[in-house]
Each structure stands twice: as structure tokens, then as C-alpha cells.
Amino acid sequence: MEIPVVYNTLETYLLIAALLLGFGIYGILKNRSLIGILISAELVLCAASVNFMAFNRFLVPDPVVGQIFALFIMGLAAAEAAIILSIIVAVYRNYKSIDPEETAELAG
Amino acid sequence: MTPLLTVEGLAGVVFFGFILLIIFGALVATNAVNLIRAVCGLALCLVGVAGIYYFLQSPFLALMQILIYAGAVCVAIVFAVMLAEPQGVQRLERAHPLAGPGAFAVAALMTWGLAALALRTSWPEAAARVNAGALEDVGRAMMTTFVVSFELISLILLVAILGSLVLARRGRRR
């Protein structure tokens, strides 16, 4: 049995990142709850990190830069998730729903 | 093509396993009606991405991915699901019948464009590396070259903690 070795080419990782971005955009557009949209946004951030790490591994002379960039993306994603989740909890207290169509009123 | 029963061949099998994990996890995360199931799909997908980081020669980042994303972020989302949907999950009917196919079309177009761009571009040859990119180099660069961004991200995390505390506390009085 033989198997193609694809994990040493840049294009494979770029394809994986494009796939993750596609799933993220699909989820953001399709989902009808704020938490579902947040989950899909995490997929998009992950796609960005994979892209940075792929270019870091195959093209960049200093392999530290991409790793630090991906680490900062992770920190920002954690902060963003915490903020969005507390906003969701506040929205739920006011509207008794997390459907984005129902939160159409600006002043509470 | 390499024979299956060599180190490279088995590593290739593990790599395909991680790709399958990513695709399956992302499918569950975007299509599940039950939000808890979607979070589990997200966790699967993020573990798969951690494996991809391992293949990109960064075991430290793979560890951080599992620790921060699959650990902390997913647990935080589960907490929000428990706080915001106490009567279980109600089915949200879609506003427009074209929402699903339209979203799929946009996402497929985006993915196809990016994939075609990645495959057609002739990428330059890899430059000579100035260090190994090991954990020691990462730590040194973080404390010297990138120290300002490091401090800024600490500040952002502090502001995020305070902001989420204030936001979540405000509704409680009413």
C-alpha cells in the first residue's frame, strides 16, 4: 500500500486554512443564534492562525514570528470570546432570546 | 507516494486523520441544531488544528491550542449556553428559505477562490533560517522584540475581564 506524502508542502496547509474559512463563513451566514455565530467566528480565527503558521514554516527566515503571531491571535480570541459571551448573557436577560433578529431595538 | 509502513507513510496517515477530524468537527460545529453538540464539534475541530500545528513543527503552539481553545474557550461557550438557554434549545426556524444554500454558495466561492490562488501561485524558495524556532527562541523573542505587543495583550485581557464582569453584572440589578 502506498500513500501520498502531503504534509511537507505549503499548498496543503493553505487548502486546510481555506476550508476552515469556508466553514466559518458558512456558519456565520447560516446560523440563527448568537452563540452559533461565535462558534463559526472561532473557526475563521483558526483559519488565520493556520495560514500564519504555514507561511512561518515554509517561507519565513525567522520561524519565531509566526508562532508569536498565532499566540497573540489565541489571546485575542480568548478575550473576544469572553466579551461576546457576557454580551450574550446581557442580551438574554433583556430580550429573553438570543436570536439576532429579535435584538433589533437600539435603546433599551 | 511512499510505502505505508514507513515513518513518513504512517505520519501521512496521522495527518489525514487530523484533516478528517477538522472537516468532521467543522461540519458538526456549523450544522448542529443543538448548541452543546456544536461546541463539541468545535472542540474536535480545534484538536485537529492542534495536530496540524504539530506537523508545522510547533509542538508548543499545539499545546497552547488545546489548552486555550479546546479547554478554556469551549468551556466558556458551554457556560454561556447554560446561562442563556435554560429551557433547553428551542428550534429557530430560518427567516429565508435561501439562507442555507446562499451561505453555502458564498462559502464555496470563497474557498474555491482561495484554493485556486494557493495552487496557482508559484511560491518562492524557502529562505535560510536564522534560528530553530524552538520554545527557547520564542520566549526570548517575546521578551525582547515583541515585548510591547506582549504588554498590550496583557492589557487587552485585563480590559476584557473587567468589561465582561461589568456587562454581566449590570443586568442582575433589574
Side-chain angles (χ1 to χ4, degrees):
Chain A
M1 279 181 70
E2 303 214 321
I3 184 170
V5 171
V6 291
Y7 57 85
N8 272 329
T9 51
L10 173 62
E11 284 83 0
T12 315
Y13 296 98
L14 294 185
L15 288 185
I16 293 172
L19 204 65
L20 270 174
L21 177 74
F23 274 119
I25 292 176
Y26 170 68
I28 289 177
L29 291 178
K30 194 203 87 166
N31 262 321
R32 282 300 310 275
S33 76
L34 288 175
I35 294 179
I37 293 174
L38 170 69
I39 290 174
S40 308
E42 298 289 341
L43 290 182
V44 173
L45 283 169
C46 234
S49 298
V50 169
N51 249 339
F52 274 115
M53 285 300 291
F55 285 117
N56 178 55
R57 157 82 173 75
F58 290 102
L59 295 181
V60 177
D62 187 356
V64 159
V65 182
Q67 297 189 40
I68 289 185
F69 216 116
L71 270 179
F72 285 163
I73 291 178
M74 273 180 212
L76 279 181
E80 166 245 357
I83 291 285
I84 292 182
L85 292 175
S86 62
I87 290 177
I88 287 173
V89 171
V91 163
Y92 180 76
R93 285 220 184 98
N94 281 335
Y95 292 90
K96 296 291 167 219
S97 158
I98 54 170
D99 188 341
E101 300 281 322
E102 287 185 23
T103 54
E105 156 190 358
L106 193 58
Chain B
M1 302 289 275
T2 50
L4 186 63
L5 289 176
T6 57
V7 175
E8 289 83 17
L10 290 178
V13 173
V14 175
F15 187 72
F16 279 119
F18 279 131
I19 293 182
L20 281 183
L21 201 64
I22 290 178
I23 294 175
F24 176 71
L27 274 176
V28 173
T30 48
N31 284 315
V33 179
N34 190 332
L35 278 178
I36 296 289
R37 202 165 286 164
V39 176
C40 292
L42 178 71
L44 266 185
C45 180
L46 294 175
V47 170
V49 172
I52 297 298
Y53 286 157
Y54 202 87
F55 273 90
L56 284 168
Q57 300 183 349
S58 179
F60 170 62
L61 218 63
L63 185 69
M64 282 298 119
Q65 172 90 3
I66 292 179
L67 204 69
I68 299 177
Y69 261 128
V73 171
C74 287
V75 171
I77 296 177
V78 170
F79 267 112
V81 173
M82 290 195 299
L83 286 175
E85 294 201 329
Q87 328 79 355
V89 184
Q90 71 268 33
R91 282 179 176 269
L92 305 163
E93 66 271 21
R94 211 164 282 141
H96 201 272
L98 279 180
F104 180 78
V106 171
L109 202 68
M110 197 95 179
T111 309
W112 176 78
L114 280 175
L117 206 62
L119 291 178
R120 279 190 196 167
T121 313
S122 59
W123 301 103
E125 283 297 304
R129 296 192 150 193
V130 294
N131 59 36
L135 181 54
E136 194 187 339
D137 302 319
V138 175
R140 188 167 293 136
M142 196 182 267
M143 282 298 144
T144 54
T145 317
F146 301 98
V147 69
V148 178
S149 7
F150 183 76
E151 296 295 334
L152 276 180
I153 207 130
S154 340
L155 195 67
I156 286 177
L157 281 172
L158 179 69
V159 171
I161 293 170
L162 292 179
S164 51
L165 282 178
V166 168
L167 273 177
R169 189 167 169 269
R170 185 185 289 159
R172 187 163 284 183
R173 292 232 182 90
R174 288 187 220 160

